[in-house]
Amino acid sequence: MAYDSIQPAAFIPSPTAGPFLVTHYALSFPRAWRDPLKEHYLHGKPERVSRHRVQVPIGRLNRLIAAVAPDLVSVATKAPLDDAKPWLYANTPYPKAVMSSFIHAWLRDLQPGVEGHAKVKETAGRLDIDGLDWGLVGVDMLEQTLTEGGTAKPADHLWRLLPEMLASRISRHEPLYEHFGQKLHFRQVAQPAGASGAELVSWPPLEHSTGRGAKARVWYYSAYIRVSLRTVPFDPTPRIHVTTGVRRWARGPVWMPQRGSVSVYMLTDDSLVPDGPSPERFAVGAMRWVPKSGGHEWLQGGPEGMLSQVSAVANFPSADLMAKEPESWLAGREGVTAAVLHHTMMGAHGVKAGIMPMERRRLTEWASAALEPEFVRIGAFEKSGIRRQMPFNVLQDTLSVKKTATEEERAEIGRENAEILTRNAAKRRPKVAQAVGPAGLTAVLLYQTDAMRDLLVAAAEENLGLAGHRVSSGPELWTWEHPELTVRIHTRQVGELADRLGGDRAPRMGAEWDAAIDSRRTQVKKVLQGWMRDTTGPAQLAFVELEGRDGFKKRRSDPKFAIRIGCADAGLVSQFFDLPDPTGTAPEKDSGPHRAAAAWSDGLRQLGMRIVPEHSVGERIPERLNQVAFWLVKRRVSGDNQYPQFTPIAVLIRPGQGCVMGRSPETQDWVPYPELLKNLTGQVRGDDLKFRQQQEDATALFIKQTLYKLRGEPTLVLTYAQNTRERWPWLQNKGLVADGIRLGSGPLQRLAAHGRHLRVVRVAGNVRDETAQWWAPDGDEAAGIAKGLWRPSDADDSNRIFYSTSDKASQHKHARDISKFTEHRNAGGRSLLKPDTAAWNPELLEIGVVGLQSGDSPEPWAMYVHQQRFADDYTDALGLPLALHLASLTVEYALPYEESEQAEPGTASIGATPEDGTPEEGDGAAAES
């Protein structure tokens, strides 16, 4: 069904509601504490730390408060040593004695060990801790200023305080959420200062049963609602985003990461600290595995931990018991109700992620009643006025077969599809020839099963239309000699190259893991180089059949990264694909042919082969337009990685150039895309890029040099806010000024100063709820999903902000009215309550046309960028425009392991990227406070 509008789950201050003033109790760090606290923190630290540390870290103290005093709201990620800037807000003053214990524990945490004891006593004596007083303050919940670019800039404390206050109203909202006679009751969850918003979960948890007999299982889950304060570039009105989804709870025994922790939600009958008030909200604690003791403990609960310092550990449930049987605390046990957050690395869960648009609409509209009268729902977005929304096809889609088709109709469609595939291959083949050069394409295939080997060979033949041109057919070499392109695939069993690192025992992090990586890397390089000496010429691309993620229970045993860098050492880019499904899938449902075809296509893209969407915007876009996408390849030190990396890169799609190009500071000039990928392996960040300012300066220099090389050519710069703005601060909402540009700490300049043919578009996604969830309204209650480019209904021709959506992904074709939380029935009375069905909604991708030249109209440029998400040789729409998508894939050659599957919000402590993303220093609470 086609829709003409979409409705974001976003709310704005009502223009008729008047002032929004709320009274709170507030507590500030006295200004007189500034020097004593800084001296205390820096005591014993090297001089280089003091040069780059201007504030005292307060994050661990905030996390302690979230664990034992959940009703307090912290609004600062760093200690605001200023009497006029509150640190904590509360509905009632918190006991002085308890606050004193928190401060003493924090001082001890900043200076641990025997030597720090005297320093703690000295600093505590210089601070008048017992003199901390809660003051009653009136807070303007809409306090803000405007940036130079005309964007709303809410007061720092509101990024945390306003969402918490609104979430509190939702938790008390009557009537309760109800659908088909079932009700949900929501409770607030304590959040640290850097969280993306306030959170509520439905409680008690819902249940879903699977299996029978010995395989019977009960799975527990809840609905969540998240409330966030956000802004939009060039818009003077702030927004409240209401995000809804599924929170899944773990069954025991709980899988624990070797390093890191898992999050636990706790609601206690009494305070966890002596003399503290009984909490109303869920507290959030964290458990970890302790290898030395072979047991579990509460984070910060060790001999010198902060929980011990505030006498809270004794009141916590046993960490070992919690990890063994977490479900026994769901209904309450020993005065504690608790739930362990499920993480995808814990294995499969009987309840699948995501909710469908109709249930999202019901939940959001119920919650929105609690925001009134101060906030009202934003108007629906309307479809772009540019009539053609999709690019012109380069390739043709195959025809689908209806279930009711006759044998004759099926045969006819089969013949037509064969002709379509032949025509598509004829268009694809010369593009591959341009990318690989006159010597043709030579690939090596390291396989484990004959079935997947044969499927990959078949995929290559079909993809490039090589049937009838085969001149050799294995067993070790397949060759096709087509007038336009020669293709060779050398095959060999992968053998021990695919074995687990460390064999039966995964190598320990550090020297042992380094040695295992280096050994396998060298082994792969030697095998490939020796093999290629016997082939007809150097290969460009390696395909490797390898066990999937589930085959390596411990990530450090996964040889994928070692194989990848070994291939790069031998001069090849690499593409991996999984073994056949071991469950014995029925032949008609076997995904093997699809996976082989996808692996072949992805391999060609790594060689720089390009099929660029042909836009439909006409002469409003320059005929020969370069697309340049900037990306920051970052690798942070973590429990699984001790080698940081920071490399700015750029990807170039240039008209008339047969290969996608790329550059980095190391390559100096543009090189073919596969060379860029190989150059990124094994890089380790030096001390000259250790600190923020150094990285900002390096990023600014790289961007400046890149733009200079393209001066005089029509060029569109594409950036992804959540990746790049943390080291290109101009890309933050508060930094953007229309048709201006700022590099690093330099002055704001006119965009034309860097070239009169330059345009800049910033794309932003839904990481940290930056863009709102949405649905396509269908009457008063129903909702669907719509594809298109959208603009605010009240936008005029000067509007710079547009929104791009895609259709449902091909693997997600479930009914729009499936429910997870309450019973729902269709018109025929059939139940649609299906917690075990995965749901997926396309994100709202914000397209900010931030830099144009005189005479340009923003909407055609937004449409051009939107259409770059729909490349013919991809099954589904891309999450980002093509050039940015290719830039984002470069991280696969920089990371020492495959990035973890995105997890549910709140599980970041386990070491993986949460559903709403790793906190970026951009346009949310972490940046603005």
Side-chain angles (χ1 to χ4, degrees), residues 162-302:
L162 179 56
E164 288 288 353
M165 190 275 296
L166 295 176
S168 179
R169 283 172 37 169
I170 294 173
S171 71
R172 302 190 305 269
H173 181 55
E174 295 287 350
L176 298 179
Y177 175 83
E178 182 176 1
H179 188 65
F180 267 79
Q182 291 181 264
K183 296 180 179 180
L184 297 182
H185 180 272
F186 285 87
R187 276 190 175 271
Q188 265 186 279
V189 179
Q191 297 287 291
S196 62
E199 182 183 328
L200 307 101
V201 294
S202 65
W203 204 262
L206 302 167
E207 298 181 10
H208 174 61
S209 300
T210 61
R212 295 181 179 178
K215 293 185 178 181
R217 297 288 186 275
V218 178
W219 305 91
Y220 301 93
Y221 66 108
S222 297
Y224 74 76
I225 299 174
R226 200 162 52 244
V227 183
S228 307
L229 173 61
R230 289 292 175 259
T231 62
V232 175
F234 316 128
D235 192 331
T237 305
R239 299 186 183 184
I240 294 295
H241 289 174
V242 175
T243 304
T244 54
V246 182
R247 181 73 75 242
R248 298 177 291 176
W249 309 117
R251 288 174 49 88
V254 176
W255 174 88
M256 289 279 182
Q258 195 70 20
R259 302 186 183 188
S261 60
V262 296
S263 297
V264 184
Y265 285 27
M266 292 184 295
L267 185 66
T268 57
D269 295 342
D270 299 306
S271 174
L272 288 167
V273 290
D275 302 321
S278 298
E280 296 182 0
R281 305 181 184 186
F282 273 99
V284 179
M287 292 189 305
R288 67 180 176 186
W289 167 256
V290 185
K292 289 184 179 180
S293 65
H296 303 84
E297 72 174 15
W298 291 101
L299 195 62
Q300 302 175 353

Side-chain angles (χ1 to χ4, degrees), residues 601-617:
S601 296
D602 288 341
L604 293 183
R605 295 184 195 107
Q606 290 192 53
L607 295 176
M609 190 276 288
R610 39 167 283 170
I611 296 182
V612 181
E614 295 184 359
H615 72 86
S616 65
V617 187

Side-chain angles (χ1 to χ4, degrees), residues 89-103:
Y89 288 88
N91 292 328
T92 58
Y94 211 74
K96 281 190 175 183
V98 181
M99 292 304 306
S100 177
S101 70
F102 291 165
I103 301 297

Side-chain angles (χ1 to χ4, degrees), residues 635 643-647 664 666 679-685 894:
R635 186 174 66 221
Y643 300 113
Q645 179 175 351
F646 181 86
T647 308
S664 71
E666 286 70 28
N679 287 334
L680 287 172
T681 59
Q683 288 193 21
V684 178
R685 187 193 69 204

Side-chain angles (χ1 to χ4, degrees), residues 654-783:
R654 174 179 260 152
Q657 187 137 25
C659 181
V660 173
M661 306 296 283
R663 72 182 300 265
S664 71
E666 286 70 28
T667 64
Q668 297 298 316
D669 211 339
W670 296 106
V671 297
Y673 184 67
E675 295 303 314
L676 173 68
L677 298 179
K678 290 181 286 186
N679 287 334
L680 287 172
T681 59
Q683 288 193 21
V684 178
R685 187 193 69 204
D687 287 342
D688 58 333
L689 290 175
K690 187 174 183 179
F691 296 105
R692 170 194 293 273
Q693 191 58 55
Q694 294 171 328
Q695 294 178 6
E696 286 187 10
D697 292 344
T699 301
L701 178 62
F702 176 73
I703 293 169
K704 183 177 181 180
Q705 292 174 340
T706 302
L707 295 182
Y708 184 80
K709 290 179 177 294
L710 297 168
R711 196 179 183 92
E713 301 179 34
T715 299
L716 172 63
V717 169
L718 294 164
T719 63
Y720 181 54
Q722 282 94 338
N723 167 264
T724 313
R725 67 182 171 204
E726 67 171 353
R727 293 301 178 261
W728 190 2
W730 170 71
L731 289 175
Q732 296 179 19
N733 287 2
K734 63 185 180 183
L736 292 174
V737 176
D739 303 333
I741 188 171
R742 176 180 280 116
L743 299 179
S745 57
L748 181 69
Q749 298 174 293
R750 293 182 302 108
L751 184 64
H754 290 267
R756 296 187 178 278
H757 303 281
L758 181 65
R759 282 87 174 179
V760 179
V761 168
R762 192 201 75 165
V763 175
N766 61 7
V767 173
R768 292 178 63 85
D769 301 329
E770 186 158 343
T771 61
Q773 292 180 333
W774 62 278
W775 61 85
D778 184 4
D780 294 333
E781 297 181 356

